[in-house]
Amino acid sequence: NSFVTRTNTCGELRAAHVGQKVTLYGWVQYQRQGLFLVLRDFQGLTQVIIPQDEAHSHVKELLSSAPVESVVRVTGTVSPRPLGQENPKMPTGDIEVKAESAEILNSCKKLPFEIKDFTKKSEALRMQYRYLDLRSSRLQSALRLRSRLVMRMREYLCNLHGFVDVETPTLFKRTPGGAKEFLVPSREAGKFYSLPQSPQQFKQLLMVGGLDRYFQVARCYRDEGSRPDRQPEFTQIDIEMSFVDQAGIQRLIEGLLQHSWPEERGSIVTPFPSMTYEEALAEYGTDKPDTRFGMKIVDISDVLRGSNIHFVQNALSYPHGSIRAICIPQGVRYLTNKDLESLKESAKSQFNQEIMEIICRPDGSLKSLLTKFLCEKEQSELIQALNMQEGDVVLLAAGEHKQVCSALGALRLLSANLLEAAGLALRDPTAFHFLWVVDFPLFLPKAENPTELESAHHPFTAPHPSDASLLYSDPTKVRSQHYDLVLNGNEVGGGSIRIHSAEQQRFVLEKVLKEDSEVLSHLIEALEFGAPPHGGIALGLDRLISLIVDAPSIRDVIAFPKSFRGRDLMGNAPDYVTPEELEPYHIQVSWPLEEKEAKKN
């Protein structure tokens, strides 16, 4: 209560305060028949008794007529609640304040929705009136937890480990590769700034500049469609260090998260387990595995290799052919035929992958179109390989290794959702399973042109020391020094050891990625002036907080987020500007014909 005129907040009064005269400020949450009201502020609720005597009639009239969500000041005396009227669910439930004077500081007009967490309201309406939505305890709690966590991170990095907090520019130039960037016009004709998708180049240049350890709560921008875990502007905890290896970065981040982790969410155990990219893909079908539950992908190629099943033999005849399966526990009980069909249809539509199902009957026998092609020994080996129990359902896929694993990985997650919706507890919502994924490929074939390569992480990532020579002979086989941090199946961080040789950086850009290295001439030149070995990482703050508080979207942990389509519904941005405002930037808008007609009308 420093610097303000209230004596207490609405959440701190207890039985020990009985008899004290207090002044409270807050919003009217609830008012009942002119007898009492509940006053709310950022810290909690206090019940205020409205006086009924003639001497305080003006106070009664004022508080009885105050609309819900009006801002009021109340001065009165703290009293114990009458016996039997205590509210153990309220921290202030043992007391009430008997109002003696009051003032309506600002009356509230009719609300577009109730300020209650359990009130159903559309996300569009919540974002249009975000300043009202911010009053909900859910958003208040998330933003305050976020603030505390960031403060603890600053303390760990700057005070305990000598990191320097440096602000980097948000007006820069286009970077080759990666996500699309927002362009900002300049007054020089045809020249544009670009909003950085991360401070990547600047933090590397800070290492060249000898800062040794850099940290920033960085605002970043990507011009791509929103998803539940993406925003056009977002925040990351950005870190870079000199003279460090992959293990050093991992130890730093484990210590950082352990130090800053909210006490109310339990403790986290370090070191975090680690898994290679190939292992993650083979066992979970994704590079961000949710390790809170089993249902791992199992390779059954050897079990079926001797069978006479045509599609199996066809798949195994290819160089990277594979037969794999997942076992859904109690699938017979919890999944309907419609569920199984939707799973198979999903694999077909998303991955062009056919799925075969096998059911384990109560007597232990198998029910499937495959069983007539399998002898008893093969069926027994299949049951053993998949650890099948009665009532389990197996989904089997055959084909190219990566496609099969990706399809089964997606079905694993969809199956888990269906099982939980049907009542089977599979993933503990209070558990936090961190995992390092390492040894990613340095390059991947471009989706639009598989004969060309693109960086799996970004073009500044260093090759794995064991594979450095392959960079010049067979870059597709090079592993990188790139590492991702995964939490409950979500990527919450990613980083790498960087290339610190100008010659190697130029080779990667020009010869492997076929990019114009001139765009990055400033960085390449900097690497020629005694650049130290360095590496770093960025943690996605929005995503991390949303997982900690179990929010359905990162929009629920950002004060003023953009909509699913990247719009600010409260301020109606982006918005039109006049031709006169565009003139200094040498820009003219070419309107589609239908919009021209609409403007005329």
Side-chain angles (χ1 to χ4, degrees), residues 299-325 353-358 368-374 378 382 395-401 404:
D299 186 352
I300 53 173
S301 302
D302 289 341
V303 176
L304 300 180
R305 199 176 296 278
S307 71
N308 294 319
I309 305 169
H310 175 70
F311 78 86
V312 167
Q313 295 305 323
N314 186 49
L316 292 177
S317 68
Y318 289 100
H320 300 289
S322 179
I323 317 297
R324 294 181 179 252
Q353 180 65 55
E354 295 289 348
I355 298 292
M356 187 74 70
E357 67 190 76
I358 305 171
S368 173
L369 294 173
L370 294 180
T371 49
K372 62 182 177 182
F373 300 105
L374 300 174
E378 287 170 329
L382 192 62
L395 301 180
L396 179 149
E400 191 274 325
H401 169 71
V404 163

Side-chain angles (χ1 to χ4, degrees), residues 96-114:
E96 56 194 16
V97 172
K98 292 186 175 177
E100 295 164 13
S101 66
E103 180 185 0
I104 295 181
L105 302 172
N106 209 329
S107 185
C108 180
K109 69 176 186 177
K110 185 173 169 44
L111 293 162
F113 53 78
E114 288 186 88

Side-chain angles (χ1 to χ4, degrees), residues 446-556:
K446 284 184 177 179
E448 65 275 14
N449 186 359
T451 60
E452 294 182 1
L453 296 176
E454 63 184 1
S455 297
H457 187 216
H458 57 53
F460 315 114
T461 301
H464 195 286
S466 307
D467 299 349
S469 61
L470 288 171
L471 181 64
Y472 304 95
S473 58
D474 192 351
T476 59
K477 292 182 179 175
V478 180
R479 291 169 299 161
S480 69
Q481 294 190 69
H482 163 200
Y483 32 84
D484 275 354
L485 183 61
V486 176
L487 172 58
N488 294 355
N490 297 269
E491 181 195 332
V492 293
S496 66
I497 301 302
R498 323 300 187 188
I499 295 171
H500 65 279
S501 156
E503 182 185 353
Q504 192 178 73
Q505 185 66 80
R506 192 177 283 112
F507 179 85
V508 166
L509 288 166
E510 295 177 357
K511 303 301 182 187
V512 181
L513 300 176
K514 314 295 185 192
E515 294 277 5
D516 179 10
S517 64
E518 190 58 33
V519 181
L520 293 165
S521 60
H522 56 283
L523 178 63
I524 294 172
E525 185 179 18
L527 297 180
E528 295 175 326
F529 286 100
H534 57 284
I537 193 168
L539 299 178
L541 182 63
D542 308 309
R543 198 174 308 179
L544 179 63
I545 300 293
S546 71
L547 291 169
I548 291 173
V549 303
D550 195 25
S553 162
I554 63 170
R555 292 190 287 278
D556 294 304

Side-chain angles (χ1 to χ4, degrees), residues 164-181:
V164 184
D165 187 347
V166 180
E167 294 137 10
T168 54
T170 50
L171 289 178
F172 194 44
K173 62 187 290 187
R174 189 184 65 82
T175 305
K180 287 183 179 178
E181 294 170 330

Side-chain angles (χ1 to χ4, degrees), residues 217-490:
V217 181
R219 297 294 286 164
C220 306
Y221 309 87
R222 284 180 185 163
D223 188 9
E224 53 186 25
S226 285
R227 300 202 304 261
D229 59 349
R230 283 277 170 92
Q231 282 272 291
E233 52 183 338
F234 55 98
T235 306
Q236 61 188 36
I237 304 298
D238 204 46
I239 290 168
E240 198 80 4
M241 296 174 73
S242 295
F243 311 111
V244 71
D245 59 11
Q246 182 170 309
I249 295 285
Q250 289 173 335
R251 286 197 305 272
L252 168 76
I253 295 304
E254 288 165 359
L256 172 69
L257 288 170
Q258 204 166 39
H259 182 85
S260 57
W261 196 254
E263 287 181 14
E264 62 269 31
R265 293 300 187 269
S267 58
I268 54 176
V269 179
T270 60
F272 302 152
S274 183
M275 181 183 296
T276 68
Y277 169 81
E278 290 297 340
E279 288 170 339
L281 187 66
E283 295 184 2
Y284 296 95
T286 176
D287 59 6
K288 41 179 186 283
D290 188 344
T291 56
R292 288 175 296 172
F293 68 107
M295 287 172 57
K296 290 183 184 180
I297 299 168
V298 179
D299 186 352
I300 53 173
S301 302
D302 289 341
V303 176
L304 300 180
R305 199 176 296 278
S307 71
N308 294 319
I309 305 169
H310 175 70
F311 78 86
V312 167
Q313 295 305 323
N314 186 49
L316 292 177
S317 68
Y318 289 100
H320 300 289
S322 179
I323 317 297
R324 294 181 179 252
I326 56 169
C327 183
I328 304 173
Q330 303 179 60
V332 172
R333 177 182 173 186
Y334 288 102
L335 300 182
T336 65
N337 288 333
K338 186 179 177 183
D339 289 335
L340 291 172
E341 287 305 313
S342 75
L343 289 170
K344 290 194 278 190
E345 177 54 38
S346 175
K348 179 69 177 170
S349 61
Q350 287 187 55
F351 301 95
N352 195 28
Q353 180 65 55
E354 295 289 348
I355 298 292
M356 187 74 70
E357 67 190 76
I358 305 171
I359 293 171
C360 188
R361 294 190 180 104
D363 63 0
S365 65
L366 301 182
K367 176 188 173 185
S368 173
L369 294 173
L370 294 180
T371 49
K372 62 182 177 182
F373 300 105
L374 300 174
C375 66
E376 275 192 36
K377 179 172 179 276
E378 287 170 329
Q379 290 191 39
S380 176
E381 287 177 352
L382 192 62
I383 290 170
Q384 191 174 354
L386 290 161
N387 193 24
M388 290 178 73
Q389 309 292 322
E390 60 178 73
D392 288 354
V393 173
V394 164
L395 301 180
L396 179 149
E400 191 274 325
H401 169 71
K402 190 170 183 179
Q403 178 179 306
V404 163
C405 291
S406 298
L408 289 175
L411 294 187
R412 175 179 177 268
L413 295 175
L414 288 172
S415 301
N417 292 340
L418 290 169
L419 290 174
E420 289 181 334
L424 179 66
L426 201 62
R427 293 169 288 198
D428 181 356
T430 65
F432 295 97
H433 285 220
F434 283 98
L435 172 74
W436 288 109
V437 179
V438 300
D439 290 355
F440 283 81
L442 187 57
F443 306 109
L444 293 171
K446 284 184 177 179
E448 65 275 14
N449 186 359
T451 60
E452 294 182 1
L453 296 176
E454 63 184 1
S455 297
H457 187 216
H458 57 53
F460 315 114
T461 301
H464 195 286
S466 307
D467 299 349
S469 61
L470 288 171
L471 181 64
Y472 304 95
S473 58
D474 192 351
T476 59
K477 292 182 179 175
V478 180
R479 291 169 299 161
S480 69
Q481 294 190 69
H482 163 200
Y483 32 84
D484 275 354
L485 183 61
V486 176
L487 172 58
N488 294 355
N490 297 269

